[in-house]
Amino acid sequence: MKNFIDDAKDALTTVIKTILPNESYVGIVSFSDNGHLRKRMTKITSESDRNSLADSLPVIAVGGTSIGAGLETCYQELLTLNNVTGSVIYLATDGKENKSPYTEEVLPKLTKKGIVIHTLAIGSSADKKLNNISKITGGSSYFYSSETVDSTSLVDALIEPFTESSKDRIIRIKTVHAVISTHQVFETNFVIDDTIGRDTIVQLTTHVLRDVNLTIKHSEMTFTKIGTAGDNSVIYVKIPGIAQIGNYDVFLSSTTNDISGTLSIFSKPVSSKQAVLQVNVLNTEPEIQYSAGLLFPLYAAVYKGLLPVTNATVMAVIENEIGDRFNTILKDNAIGADVSLNDGIYSCYILPNELSANGRLSIKVIAEGYSAKVVVEVTRSPGTKFTDDFEEQSIGPFMRVALAREITVKNYTLLDKNIDLIPPSPILTLQLSNISNEDNTYTITWYAVGDDLDKGNATSYDIRYSDKFQKLKTDPGHQQTITVGIIPKEPGETESFVFQIPNIQTNSTYYIAVRAVDDQNNTGDLSNIISVSILNDRYWFDDENTDGLSIAFLVGISIGAVIIVVILLVCVITLIKKKRVPRMSNYAI
């Protein structure tokens, strides 16, 4: 593993110089065989205070690893303050504890005082109990793989908890790794939306900053910072006042050195009363127990204030201990891990073939919206449909980034890639969209699902019907089948199928459901169940002379009753499923 000290020093300098708010008390402790107080608790009131703290960061690591000694030194220094309750320790290490005092000896006194500990495990050798230290004290645990090329997770992990704990909340817009040769130009962009813009900062974290040019352009405005030999680990541009809404272009170049560093962009709400657009990662479990049938859900909530944001693009970047990285898309489409359409909860499953090793994972979630909308409640007029209680309103473009707490993979084994045990996702969007009186046909629609849940393409569909609801629900494989000749579309696209029910009987109700099948004959769970009622009871009609009406006409008249049944069935299933989705919290986890 490469030496992380320089990288960690750069990232911590970033936190000290631009993230920690004024009036904060900050101290610095390092540890090896013993704890070393490098900087006493210092109240940040000026740029000089920040520079002094940054200059006190350690530059070498020698000796053993006594995490307990480091925590004890932190504890004693915190006691010099009048009130330590709610104080925060950020513990970062690449080592495994091998010297006393051990953490178990020190933690009780810290928890008794209400001290929160955030932890960062750096590399595969970092102590496995870091996560538990955070859990016991109410903190968050993060992971940085020093083996991953071009990762931003070190800067992400050090910034994330401080943005949440700050009284003046910081909204992270974007982080990206920048690699560029001398005299070349690196370009990227970011967006300021209508909920943020105050104290907007674009910063570069890297080792050498002399002659580095950081330029931001927006409309007719240009902001530039050129690094000097005296700049320490980070240079930044702060846009004065309230940044204007819109797109900003970022240009990075150097005339003397190659550049390899992390660009991070963040801002603050326009006002404390502003309904801020935010993304929160909702981890459900801290561990992934690996198996061939693994289905590990990942959720991210995208909200503007309390309003769910729909039609956003949400992606998770996942890095492991051996340096592997993969991306996966989270969707709000009621397919796969996502159980409710357009509720602002974006979901995906991490599948067995996406993992490659045991150990910790770092998960960064990126959310962007260029045609996004918010779901707002409206007053429903008498006689309108229940679905009219809500409507979507367009919002402007936005960008957000958030980091999940670490997740650990256990019991990983290399599996035969030809073994496929993952079925397609259950279909939760089946609905009756049309009934034809002329030829007694029915049209049903649903959103296509994938081969492996919501990934890839399914191979076929299995449509079943019965006049007994319970039989269809519990034993669909032995109910009547309807031949389907359609080829499944891409997940999320709308499927439409027209059919007739053979030997249809009047005064009967038929229940219909669909399952998707993949190329290994894995069959997805049953969809939501819809129903069709065929009636000729004159009670349902205004005209008493209806005895001679055709079945097709009766079916057409009964569609109102059918819609009511469909709504009831779909609502019941949706509400039951919905309970499985974690609540959105006010902080990223």
Side-chain angles (χ1 to χ4, degrees):
M1 184 183 72
K2 67 181 182 181
N3 190 330
F4 75 92
I5 290 294
D6 288 340
D7 291 339
K9 180 179 181 294
D10 291 339
L12 284 167
T13 299
T14 296
V15 173
I16 291 170
K17 288 197 171 184
T18 62
I19 299 296
L20 298 178
N22 284 332
E23 308 301 316
S24 299
Y25 285 87
V26 181
I28 297 174
V29 169
S30 64
F31 58 92
S32 52
D33 294 333
N34 302 291
H36 306 279
L37 180 60
R38 305 189 65 88
K39 184 69 174 178
R40 303 211 64 169
M41 298 300 293
T42 301
K43 185 178 182 179
I44 297 178
T45 59
S46 65
E47 192 70 22
S48 175
D49 294 329
R50 297 181 187 274
N51 290 335
S52 177
L53 284 162
D55 290 340
S56 300
L57 292 168
V59 293
I60 58 172
V62 294
T65 302
S66 177
I67 297 174
L71 292 176
E72 177 66 31
T73 305
C74 290
Y75 175 72
Q76 294 300 328
E77 181 62 15
L78 285 171
L79 289 180
T80 63
L81 302 177
N82 292 329
N83 183 11
V84 302
T85 302
S87 296
V88 173
I89 296 174
Y90 198 111
L91 167 62
T93 182
D94 70 334
K96 183 176 181 180
E97 189 167 50
N98 53 25
K99 296 282 185 179
S100 63
Y102 295 101
T103 54
E104 293 81 3
E105 303 170 47
V106 181
L107 276 180
K109 62 177 73 175
L110 274 71
T111 55
K112 185 177 181 180
K113 290 290 186 179
I115 297 172
V116 176
I117 303 176
H118 301 302
T119 61
L120 172 60
I122 300 176
S124 58
S125 299
D127 204 301
K128 304 302 181 185
K129 59 187 174 186
L130 291 179
N131 182 46
N132 193 50
I133 292 172
S134 293
K135 183 178 179 180
I136 290 173
T137 62
S140 298
S141 57
Y142 303 99
F143 169 69
Y144 163 61
S145 173
S146 53
E147 301 297 329
T148 304
V149 178
D150 300 342
S151 174
T152 67
S153 60
L154 179 58
V155 173
D156 290 328
L158 288 170
I159 291 178
E160 185 79 17
F162 294 107
T163 63
E164 295 300 327
S165 62
S166 173
K167 293 180 181 179
D168 194 8
R169 185 173 186 185
I170 295 171
I171 305 299
R172 298 180 60 215
I173 300 172
K174 185 174 186 176
T175 56
V176 60
H177 193 82
V179 178
I180 189 170
S181 300
T182 306
H183 299 298
Q184 291 184 336
V185 178
F186 176 89
E187 297 182 29
T188 189
N189 75 300
F190 67 95
V191 172
I192 295 293
D193 58 81
D194 63 355
T195 71
I196 57 174
R198 184 169 54 88
D199 293 345
T200 301
I201 289 179
V202 181
Q203 63 184 15
L204 172 68
T205 304
T206 189
H207 299 324
V208 180
L209 291 163
R210 183 169 63 89
D211 298 327
V212 173
N213 184 309
L214 175 61
T215 297
I216 293 90
K217 293 184 178 182
H218 170 71
S219 186
E220 301 298 321
M221 297 182 294
T222 299
F223 309 94
T224 299
K225 171 67 176 179
I226 298 177
T228 68
D231 285 315
N232 183 11
S233 302
V234 60
I235 58 171
Y236 62 90
V237 170
K238 183 176 181 179
I239 298 175
I242 305 296
Q244 295 181 7
I245 297 171
N247 184 75
Y248 289 72
D249 294 312
V250 180
F251 302 92
L252 184 63
S253 62
S254 175
T255 57
T256 56
N257 298 286
D258 294 344
I259 300 171
S260 178
T262 298
L263 272 170
S264 47
I265 304 161
F266 48 88
S267 187
K268 294 179 181 178
V270 175
S271 72
S272 59
K273 298 180 180 180
Q274 182 74 44
V276 179
L277 200 153
Q278 57 190 326
V279 55
N280 293 326
V281 188
L282 308 174
N283 287 23
T284 54
E285 297 291 339
E287 294 182 355
I288 296 176
Q289 296 293 336
Y290 189 84
S291 70
L294 168 70
L295 302 177
F296 187 85
L298 180 65
Y299 304 101
V302 185
Y303 273 63
K304 184 177 182 181
L306 299 176
L307 301 177
V309 175
T310 65
N311 209 34
T313 300
V314 181
M315 179 178 71
V317 181
I318 303 177
E319 300 170 355
N320 69 7
E321 290 189 0
I322 64 174
D324 292 337
R325 175 196 288 130
F326 69 92
N327 301 339
T328 187
I329 301 298
L330 289 75
K331 295 183 178 181
D332 184 12
N333 60 358
I335 299 175
D338 195 71
V339 297
S340 184
L341 180 68
N342 292 339
D343 64 350
I345 306 294
Y346 292 74
S347 316
C348 73
Y349 279 116
I350 297 176
L351 300 180
N353 60 1
E354 295 175 317
L355 299 174
S356 57
N358 278 323
R360 299 174 173 103
L361 300 177
S362 171
I363 302 177
K364 179 173 76 171
V365 172
I366 301 167
E368 297 183 356
Y370 293 96
S371 57
K373 301 177 181 180
V374 290
V375 180
V376 297
E377 188 174 4
V378 296
T379 302
R380 181 167 60 90
S381 302
T384 57
K385 296 183 294 183
F386 288 102
T387 53
D388 292 336
D389 284 350
F390 299 92
E391 67 179 18
E392 292 183 321
Q393 296 180 356
S394 296
I395 59 175
F398 71 89
M399 292 180 176
R400 293 292 186 273
V401 63
L403 193 68
R405 289 179 179 175
E406 69 169 53
I407 294 175
T408 302
V409 178
K410 293 189 174 181
N411 303 319
Y412 173 80
T413 55
L414 185 61
L415 298 175
D416 185 346
K417 293 185 178 181
N418 294 320
I419 297 176
D420 178 9
L421 301 180
I422 308 298
S425 170
I427 294 165
L428 304 178
T429 53
L430 181 65
Q431 61 179 343
L432 180 67
S433 60
N434 188 56
I435 295 176
S436 173
N437 298 337
E438 296 180 357
D439 55 4
N440 297 339
T441 59
Y442 308 89
T443 302
I444 55 176
T445 60
W446 64 91
Y447 290 146
V449 296
D451 176 287
D452 294 336
L453 299 169
D454 58 346
K455 299 178 181 180
N457 283 46
T459 301
S460 62
Y461 292 111
D462 176 29
I463 299 181
R464 301 281 176 159
Y465 73 95
S466 174
D467 59 357
K468 300 292 189 297
F469 175 83
Q470 196 63 26
K471 284 187 176 181
L472 179 61
K473 179 181 178 182
T474 59
D475 189 20
H478 290 90
Q479 306 311 307
Q480 297 295 319
T481 184
I482 297 173
T483 302
V484 186
I486 61 176
I487 299 175
K489 297 179 180 179
E490 292 287 332
E493 294 186 14
T494 300
E495 303 278 22
S496 180
F497 181 63
V498 181
F499 66 98
Q500 291 180 320
I501 297 177
N503 304 316
I504 196 167
Q505 301 294 319
T506 59
N507 291 327
S508 299
T509 297
Y510 294 90
Y511 302 96
I512 305 164
V514 182
R515 298 183 295 183
V517 183
D518 70 11
D519 56 358
Q520 298 298 313
N521 209 34
N522 295 312
T523 302
D525 290 339
L526 200 65
S527 71
N528 59 296
I529 298 173
I530 62 174
S531 67
V532 175
S533 296
I534 297 88
L535 308 171
N536 64 0
D537 190 331
R538 66 180 58 193
Y539 172 81
W540 291 88
F541 312 108
D542 294 331
D543 187 352
E544 294 185 0
N545 298 316
T546 58
D547 292 346
L549 291 175
S550 68
I551 292 176
F553 184 63
L554 292 172
V555 170
I557 291 177
S558 69
I559 189 169
V562 172
I563 291 175
I564 293 174
V565 175
V566 171
I567 289 174
L568 289 175
L569 289 172
V570 172
C571 285
V572 169
I573 292 171
T574 301
L575 289 172
I576 292 172
K577 296 282 187 181
K578 186 68 176 175
K579 292 179 181 178
R580 299 181 184 176
V581 180
R583 293 183 179 179
M584 188 191 74
S585 63
N586 291 325
Y587 51 88
I589 57 176

